[in-house]
Amino acid sequence: MRKLILDCDPGHDDAFGIMLAAQNLDLLGVTTVGGNGYLENVTRNALVVLEKIGRTDVPVYPGHAGPSTTELITAPNVHGKSGLDGPVVSEPKRKPEKKHAVDFIVETVMSTDHVTLAATGPLTNIAAALNREPEIAKRVDGLYIMGGGAYAGNWTAAAEFNIYVDAEAAYKVFHSGMPIYMVGVNLTRQCPVNTEFIEKVRAIGNEAGTFGAELLDFFSHGGDAHLHDPCAVAWIIDPSIITEAYLHVDIELNGTLTRGMTVTDLRFLQTSVPEKDIDLSSTKRWDDPPVGSPFRGKEPNTHVAMRLDYPKFVDLVVNTLSKYN
Ligand code: BDR
Ligand code: CA
């Protein structure tokens, strides 16, 4: 089982990320960051989720309340006021740890081999950990991000919420040399929260299934939602769920319309159209076009998730939730 630290801002879809990670990976800790809701709320929500699935042994470390250079933007329009509206839950019995998330991340990665990081909220904590100890970039097995998009955004036309909220942190992370696996909205749009999926989760019949279905009832917003965050965790658990392209990604900080965009260099794929038209099985490499060719593109730095095996993903969610008592 791969060792994981999950940095998140629960968040309905983050909650599914936690449930997948706690059952299928060696979850060393959950760290929280201001994003979907204020830090106090998302930390409470992380404790609620772990209590629901009987995993009160997994420590929760609160991190940064918001970006260091801009004001925090939250998403009550998506996740409700609490950040996890929908299911009626009691206050968690457990308190979060006293240690700061950034201390936990740095200490754990520096003292433990083969730690994988997943970040399903703004990248504020991960950037702060890199500022504190740049060596963590080389020590981790990988950083799996839900954020950005190879073609488009959701919060703005160009930018996805997690990257938009702390674009400076994202810039730091994408320039750190860490092996990055990016699950953007181009991928998660292939993961609809439809009635069939919700009813499969409800039919599990245990407490985790009922909780999951109630989360999805709220989160589906009448059928328009996509289950973003657990796609990144699923990729760690079963790499065959996602097909990737290795590409160059950079973060736009200054665009008047494009701040927070994950500018993805698709030039060597010789396309700028949706993934169904891209031949990902091609043996073409980014450096195949000759030096100086406008089609060569920039040297890849990011494993970009392009295609999701949705039936496999749904099975993973249903099987995982079934295993909780
Ligand atoms: C991302 O934003 C949040 O609302 C979700 O939890 C997810 O991490 C999707 O853009
Ligand atoms: Ca999230």
Side-chain angles (χ1 to χ4, degrees):
M1 266 197 194
R2 285 175 75 172
K3 296 181 205 117
L4 182 78
I5 298 173
L6 174 56
D7 189 70
C8 58
D9 60 340
H12 297 70
D13 50 340
D14 300 84
F16 277 85
I18 294 174
M19 292 194 274
L20 286 188
Q23 185 65 242
N24 300 293
L25 298 164
D26 181 5
L27 185 56
L28 305 178
V30 170
T31 55
T32 56
V33 63
N36 285 327
Y38 295 108
L39 184 67
E40 199 184 324
N41 284 347
V42 299
T43 304
R44 164 196 167 271
N45 297 345
L47 292 165
V48 164
V49 175
L50 287 165
E51 205 163 291
K52 271 275 175 203
I53 56 175
R55 289 302 305 271
T56 51
D57 57 308
V58 177
V60 175
Y61 301 90
H64 284 289
S68 58
T69 51
T70 51
E71 284 293 307
L72 175 67
I73 299 161
T74 59
N77 52 336
V78 181
H79 301 274
K81 224 178 142 195
S82 72
L84 203 64
D85 278 14
V88 180
V89 294
S90 39
E91 281 304 304
K93 294 189 192 76
R94 211 160 45 115
K95 293 263 175 289
E97 305 299 311
K98 293 229 163 33
K99 187 180 282 204
H100 194 280
V102 172
D103 295 331
F104 173 69
I105 293 169
V106 170
E107 286 168 21
T108 309
V109 171
M110 294 311 287
S111 64
T112 317
D113 290 339
H114 298 300
V115 174
T116 298
L117 300 177
T120 62
L123 290 165
T124 316
N125 287 338
I126 308 296
L130 280 162
N131 279 331
R132 172 89 54 81
E133 181 48 88
E135 278 295 301
I136 65 167
K138 296 199 200 97
R139 296 265 318 154
V140 295
D141 272 4
L143 168 65
Y144 288 71
I145 290 171
M146 191 285 127
Y151 320 112
N154 60 1
W155 202 252
T156 71
E160 179 279 333
F161 178 78
N162 289 335
I163 305 294
Y164 186 78
V165 170
D166 198 344
E168 280 70 21
Y171 185 92
K172 171 83 203 175
V173 171
F174 276 80
H175 285 257
S176 70
M178 232 181 219
I180 297 176
Y181 296 77
M182 180 178 102
V183 171
V185 288
N186 62 297
L187 187 286
T188 63
R189 278 181 187 150
Q190 302 164 47
C191 193
V193 182
N194 53 31
T195 311
E196 202 188 329
F197 181 25
I198 300 177
E199 292 319 314
K200 269 192 186 170
V201 172
R202 204 184 316 279
I204 297 168
N206 61 7
E207 204 181 337
T210 306
F211 178 58
E214 286 173 3
L215 287 171
L216 295 178
D217 285 338
F218 182 91
F219 186 63
S220 67
H221 292 284
D224 273 345
H226 298 98
L227 203 55
H228 310 280
D229 295 337
C231 292
V233 178
W235 198 3
I236 308 169
I237 297 166
D238 179 358
S240 75
I241 281 182
I242 278 172
T243 308
E244 66 161 68
Y246 194 38
L247 301 169
H248 184 89
V249 178
D250 207 341
I251 309 296
E252 177 59 87
L253 294 179
N254 299 310
T256 50
L257 300 171
T258 53
R259 182 177 152 79
M261 182 175 180
T262 46
V263 180
T264 304
D265 195 338
L266 297 160
R267 279 180 287 182
F268 91 89
L269 294 174
Q270 301 202 7
T271 186
S272 53
V273 292
E275 54 268 3
K276 64 179 166 53
D277 294 328
I278 298 176
D279 179 11
L280 291 170
S281 66
S282 124
T283 52
K284 251 186 285 171
R285 285 168 37 84
W286 72 276
D287 55 355
D288 276 350
V291 178
S293 157
F295 305 118
R296 182 175 164 106
K298 287 191 177 174
E299 187 164 354
N301 62 352
T302 305
H303 302 267
V304 181
M306 301 294 264
R307 281 200 200 115
L308 175 72
D309 187 332
Y310 180 64
K312 225 182 202 180
F313 172 84
V314 172
D315 282 352
L316 176 67
V317 170
V318 172
N319 290 338
T320 299
L321 268 57
S322 313
K323 288 184 191 144
Y324 291 114
N325 292 322

